[in-house]
Amino acid sequence: MLTRIPFFKEVIIGSFECSHCSYKDSQITSAGEIQEKGVKIALQVSAVEDLNRQIVKSDAAVIKIPQVELEIPAKKGCLTTIEGTINTTCEELLYDQPARRLIDPDNAQKIDDFIGRLKMLLLVKEPFQFIIEDITGNSHVENPKAPSADPLLHTMRFFRTKAQNDLLGIETPNSQPSTAVAHPSVTPLAGEPGVAPINFSDEVMQFAGVCNMCNAPCVTNMKMVNIPRFKQVIIMAMACDRCGYKNNEVKPGAGIEEQGVTYTLFIKDSVDLSRDLLKSDSASCMIPELDLALAPGTLGGRFTTVEGLISNIRDQLRDTNFTFTGDSSSEGSREKMSKLCNKLSEIIAGKFLGEFHMVLDDPTGNSYLQDIYEPETDPCLKVERYERTEEQNEELGLTDMSTESTDGMKPLRS
């Protein structure tokens, strides 16, 4: 069954039950592609309620609980809870224990002791850390405070090593043959002999793909756009003729900036809602007065307005968040989400002007919020540039980045 996980993505859930022997089995498979980066999710379990958090574990994910030195290797994917993961581990360790107690009593006793330590975790007498590390990037831990940030939940994305890409069957540049072979379908690069320079700003490039919803063939349009007083960006858009699904995304046209940037906008007038806004896929967004926080990667990259971004947030909360609006949700969570969506709608309608502000933080420096007073000082907009932390550099893949192979290379065009 195809199922959408709120604030995550679509997955395929499969289950099996034998009417003859009563054997049951279930597994989960990502309905999407392998992500550009792997993910490491660390949750500090400090209360019994945290054991009820749902987790999506792909078949490439490894689970660790450092406090008891537990590491569960990659195996079939599943949709479960933290409590369910620990109970399943105990059941698997108990398998063949009666025979083991007769054949190897010493090791059987050690296993019994370890199972006792795992069951003690379920009492949460002291906090412990629950870690999922997934090189495909397709695992997830529920945030019950969503859309607000969860101080107990930390997510870090990382670039895979060549060995990890090889394990997933992904071809890396290092595995390419050293001798280039000409192919008739490859367009020669601008700057090569006999090839005229290409002005990408005047061209709308197209490439074939498939629809994310119905898998029908469709075309994605891509264009380079210059944002005044900022930089070049790449806008990608697709529309499916079969099911009507539409999607658009913005990618930075340049590299990561030397510094991160934080924009703080105090929305005092309806004009402030019309400011152009570029949110990269690495940027986080907050509206502190509503206790609303979007983690990096939420909504992807967007080139819109302040009003448009707030509308996107409201639509995602209202239309796709089945955890808070479905039959299994509690009355309190439904009421909370309804109030938040109504508040966002009122903000879009121009109410509460001067009573809230928006914070856009991007460690890559590739986000932008329009200054409508330029070259004068903007009284409503505060822009701060900052040095990234070592942790942020590691998440962006800058710590171990090597540029030695590009030394001496000539640019294709100026």
Side-chain angles (χ1 to χ4, degrees):
M1 181 178 68
L2 188 65
T3 304
R4 181 176 179 84
I5 306 293
F7 302 104
F8 185 48
K9 62 183 68 175
E10 289 182 331
V11 295
I12 300 172
I13 300 176
S15 62
F16 167 80
E17 181 176 358
C18 178
S19 57
H20 178 68
C21 67
S22 299
Y23 173 74
K24 296 180 181 180
D25 189 25
S26 63
Q27 61 180 349
I28 188 168
T29 306
S30 173
E33 58 187 12
I34 295 174
Q35 303 304 305
E36 183 180 351
K37 298 179 183 179
V39 65
K40 181 179 180 180
I41 307 171
L43 172 67
Q44 188 75 8
V45 180
S46 57
V48 175
E49 292 76 15
D50 293 327
L51 297 173
N52 297 325
R53 296 192 189 217
Q54 288 187 340
I55 64 170
V56 177
K57 189 192 84 67
S58 80
D59 54 8
V62 175
I63 294 178
K64 301 177 183 178
I65 302 179
Q67 280 76 359
V68 293
E69 300 180 357
L70 171 67
E71 180 171 331
I72 304 174
K75 52 183 181 179
K76 69 178 183 179
C78 64
L79 173 62
T80 180
T81 62
I82 294 175
E83 181 180 5
T85 301
I86 296 174
N87 283 332
T88 300
T89 303
C90 291
E91 291 173 2
E92 292 175 351
L93 289 173
L94 281 170
Y95 184 73
D96 275 350
Q97 269 293 85
R100 193 179 293 113
R101 291 188 183 101
L102 297 174
I103 300 171
D104 190 354
D106 291 339
N107 281 329
Q109 183 59 46
K110 291 178 181 179
I111 293 175
D112 286 335
D113 294 341
F114 186 73
I115 292 173
R117 294 172 63 192
L118 289 178
K119 291 184 176 180
M120 286 297 295
L121 292 178
L122 299 177
L123 302 178
V124 197
K125 291 187 175 180
E126 59 182 27
F128 66 91
Q129 200 170 34
F130 184 90
I131 300 172
I132 298 181
E133 190 166 344
D134 184 1
I135 58 177
T136 69
N138 286 324
S139 291
H140 170 73
V141 175
E142 178 189 2
N143 174 11
K145 298 180 182 296
S148 303
D150 187 343
L152 300 177
L153 188 64
H154 178 69
T155 302
M156 184 185 78
R157 302 195 177 273
F158 59 87
F159 286 96
R160 287 182 289 271
T161 63
K162 181 181 181 300
Q164 290 171 332
N165 279 329
D166 291 343
L167 184 64
L168 296 174
I170 300 175
E171 192 173 40
T172 57
N174 292 337
S175 63
Q176 298 285 348
S178 57
T179 303
V181 180
H183 193 282
S185 64
V186 177
T187 304
L189 293 174
E192 292 182 353
V195 180
I198 301 175
N199 187 353
F200 290 100
S201 298
D202 296 334
E203 296 287 334
V204 176
M205 290 163 280
Q206 296 183 327
F207 54 91
V210 295
C211 175
N212 297 333
M213 301 301 289
C214 69
N215 238 20
C218 61
V219 174
T220 298
N221 298 314
M222 182 173 71
K223 191 178 189 302
M224 295 283 288
V225 176
N226 275 307
I227 298 180
R229 299 181 180 86
F230 186 52
K231 62 174 72 174
Q232 279 189 330
V233 297
I234 302 171
I235 297 181
M236 305 171 66
M238 61 85 69
C240 179
D241 295 330
R242 176 186 289 181
C243 68
Y245 173 74
K246 296 180 180 179
N247 187 33
N248 64 80
E249 193 168 355
V250 178
K251 297 287 187 181
I256 296 175
E257 297 293 318
E258 293 184 2
Q259 294 180 310
V261 63
T262 300
Y263 294 93
T264 304
L265 177 65
F266 295 89
I267 302 175
K268 299 180 179 180
D269 192 89
S270 58
V271 176
D272 294 323
L273 292 172
S274 303
R275 293 180 187 241
D276 288 337
L277 182 147
L278 170 65
K279 175 194 170 297
S280 81
D281 53 9
S282 59
S284 61
C285 181
M286 293 179 287
I287 301 179
E289 289 79 5
L290 301 183
D291 197 23
L292 174 66
L294 300 185
T298 307
L299 297 177
R302 298 277 173 147
F303 184 36
T304 179
T305 62
V306 174
E307 178 183 349
L309 181 62
I310 296 175
S311 297
N312 293 148
I313 295 171
R314 179 201 59 189
D315 293 344
Q316 187 186 48
L317 293 175
R318 183 183 58 194
D319 300 335
T320 65
N321 190 4
F322 302 120
T323 297
F324 292 99
T325 59
D327 294 337
S328 61
S329 62
S330 65
E331 183 65 31
S333 63
R334 287 197 296 269
E335 184 179 354
K336 173 186 174 183
M337 194 55 57
S338 177
K339 286 183 178 179
L340 178 58
C341 291
N342 291 339
K343 195 80 170 182
L344 291 173
S345 296
E346 291 175 342
I347 289 174
I348 295 169
K351 297 181 180 180
F352 308 112
L353 295 175
E355 298 182 19
F356 71 98
H357 70 287
M358 174 183 288
V359 180
L360 186 67
D361 179 67
D362 187 354
T364 68
N366 285 324
S367 292
Y368 166 78
L369 223 171
Q370 183 184 16
D371 183 347
I372 58 178
Y373 287 86
E374 199 171 17
E376 302 296 330
T377 302
D378 191 331
C380 299
L381 181 64
K382 182 180 179 182
V383 183
E384 298 175 285
R385 301 197 177 274
Y386 60 87
E387 298 294 333
R388 285 184 291 269
T389 63
E390 292 184 4
E391 184 180 4
Q392 288 174 324
N393 282 328
E394 185 177 352
E395 289 182 5
L396 296 172
L398 300 177
T399 304
D400 301 319
M401 183 178 291
S402 174
T403 59
E404 293 178 359
S405 61
T406 62
D407 291 344
M409 292 183 64
K410 296 180 180 180
L412 295 177
R413 59 187 178 90
S414 58

